[in-house]
Amino acid sequence: MINILLILVTLLILWFVAGYFSARHVTGRQPADPSDPSKRPSNAEDVVIQTEDNLNISAWYIDNKSEKAVIILAGIGCHREYVVNRAENYINKGYSVLLPDLRCTGNSEGSLISFGWHESKDLIACYEFLCNKNKTSIGLHGYSLGAATIVYSLPRISNYEFLVLESCYDNIDNALSNRVAKFKLPSFVYYPFRFFTEKLIKVSSSYLYPEKYIINACAPTLIMAGDDEDQLKLEETHNIYQKCGAKFKELHIFKGGKHEDFKLRFEEEYNKVLNSFLEKINA
């Protein structure tokens, strides 16, 4: 009986230890220098933007000499090079482009990733940077964590020109359980991970629900996702779309698309969908 009890206690300790180190890994800083010369736009200016909590956010700024601008945000652990291919669509339509490294990624400061919650402060600082550059029509485009970052900013800023959300999770519980499901494990396995994540980023998981904030969307909104994403179920994308408060909204599903760079794999289809959306809202 004592041996069984010791085994159970040991397993419990290992469960929590694994949860702690998993939380440290996922939320930990993931720096990477965006220095590939082939990916840097030739006319990009290096800028540093300070957030309200005094972090320096590193970014590329392409001034297209117009009042229109867009901020493009990458996913978790990625930096501006991962989304620079999206800038071309906007530059060709006359937009200036801001490509920031969200906190804890690329060359930006920060020590913890928070699934878009605190990253929304980076976005707001970027928005104010563009306002100070006399940009009066500012749109947002985000992938995965970048998309969630946009949604978390909506209660604070209501006058975005448009929103493009790629592969946005609907709530953190689904996001975590989907990842655990890949390993054929029961969902309760991630409970210690969720507990320690909340403690590290100082945000209750009950707040990490983009579906609660997407109702605040006023601007025209395009939502894109794949129908074969292992980190985002199709019904979760439909949930985000249905709860989106925008009067004009569109949903596009890439057949066979996974949690990946749709622009890279489905380039022709992607360009057609995005450019059609931009043409409609600018008509």
Side-chain angles (χ1 to χ4, degrees):
M1 183 64 182
I2 294 177
N3 288 338
I4 294 175
L5 184 60
L6 285 174
I7 291 173
L8 291 175
V9 170
T10 300
L11 290 175
L12 183 64
I13 292 172
L14 290 174
W15 182 34
F16 272 81
V17 169
Y20 172 77
F21 282 104
S22 296
R24 292 288 300 184
H25 173 71
V26 171
T27 62
R29 179 169 175 78
Q30 300 183 38
D33 183 14
S35 57
D36 185 341
S38 68
K39 292 185 177 181
R40 178 190 174 95
S42 59
N43 54 345
E45 174 189 355
D46 289 304
V47 297
V48 176
I49 301 166
Q50 190 170 66
T51 67
E52 62 191 58
D53 54 348
N54 298 316
L55 291 182
N56 288 323
I57 300 301
S58 182
W60 285 331
Y61 175 53
I62 302 123
D63 190 351
N64 212 9
K65 306 302 180 184
S66 79
E67 296 178 348
K68 301 189 300 182
V70 62
I71 304 167
I72 308 177
L73 306 178
I76 189 168
C78 299
H79 52 69
R80 69 192 99 158
E81 281 185 0
Y82 289 82
V83 290
V84 72
N85 59 351
R86 288 150 173 81
E88 181 181 0
N89 295 76
Y90 293 101
I91 292 171
N92 290 340
K93 291 191 175 297
Y95 288 86
S96 295
V97 177
L98 186 63
L99 294 159
D101 293 334
L102 293 172
R103 60 184 59 202
C104 306
T105 61
N107 289 329
S108 291
E109 295 178 345
S111 58
L112 290 169
I113 291 170
S114 61
F115 309 102
W117 183 261
H118 293 305
E119 287 82 354
S120 65
K121 300 171 186 174
D122 309 344
L123 172 56
I124 290 168
C126 289
Y127 176 82
E128 292 172 347
F129 170 86
L130 289 176
C131 288
N132 291 331
K133 294 287 185 179
N134 298 316
K135 306 304 178 184
T136 57
S137 175
I138 302 172
L140 306 178
H141 186 142
Y143 168 71
S144 193
L145 178 146
T149 297
I150 291 170
V151 177
Y152 290 136
S153 77
L154 293 177
R156 294 185 58 182
I157 299 179
S158 59
N159 59 339
Y160 295 129
E161 188 68 17
F162 65 84
L163 310 176
V164 178
L165 309 175
E166 297 184 41
S167 300
C168 182
Y169 70 90
D170 63 342
N171 65 67
I172 194 64
D173 290 315
N174 284 338
L176 295 179
S177 62
N178 290 343
R179 286 160 174 76
V180 170
K182 292 191 299 182
F183 302 101
K184 309 299 182 183
L185 296 171
S187 60
F188 71 82
V189 168
Y190 76 81
Y191 290 167
F193 168 79
R194 184 176 66 177
F195 171 80
F196 287 115
T197 296
E198 289 180 335
K199 299 302 180 185
L200 287 168
I201 67 176
K202 296 180 173 60
V203 180
S204 168
S205 60
S206 64
Y207 287 101
L208 300 177
Y209 271 55
E211 63 182 310
K212 294 180 180 179
Y213 304 94
I214 193 71
I215 193 174
N216 295 295
C218 300
T221 302
L222 170 62
I223 296 172
M224 296 189 281
D227 65 358
D228 194 28
E229 300 201 36
D230 56 3
Q231 298 182 32
L232 177 68
K233 294 180 180 177
L234 189 56
E235 57 264 33
E236 294 162 11
T237 295
H238 282 288
N239 182 33
I240 282 285
Y241 176 75
Q242 289 164 4
K243 292 182 178 178
C244 177
K247 291 182 179 179
F248 178 79
K249 58 184 178 181
E250 292 186 343
L251 173 65
H252 185 81
I253 302 299
F254 292 93
K255 302 299 182 183
K258 301 182 183 298
H259 202 71
E260 60 181 313
D261 187 340
F262 302 131
K263 167 78 170 176
L264 184 64
R265 183 179 171 195
F266 305 95
E267 183 173 11
E268 184 176 351
E269 179 182 358
Y270 183 97
N271 290 340
K272 182 179 179 180
V273 170
L274 179 58
N275 291 335
S276 173
F277 172 75
L278 294 175
E279 289 166 5
K280 288 175 185 176
I281 66 176
N282 287 311

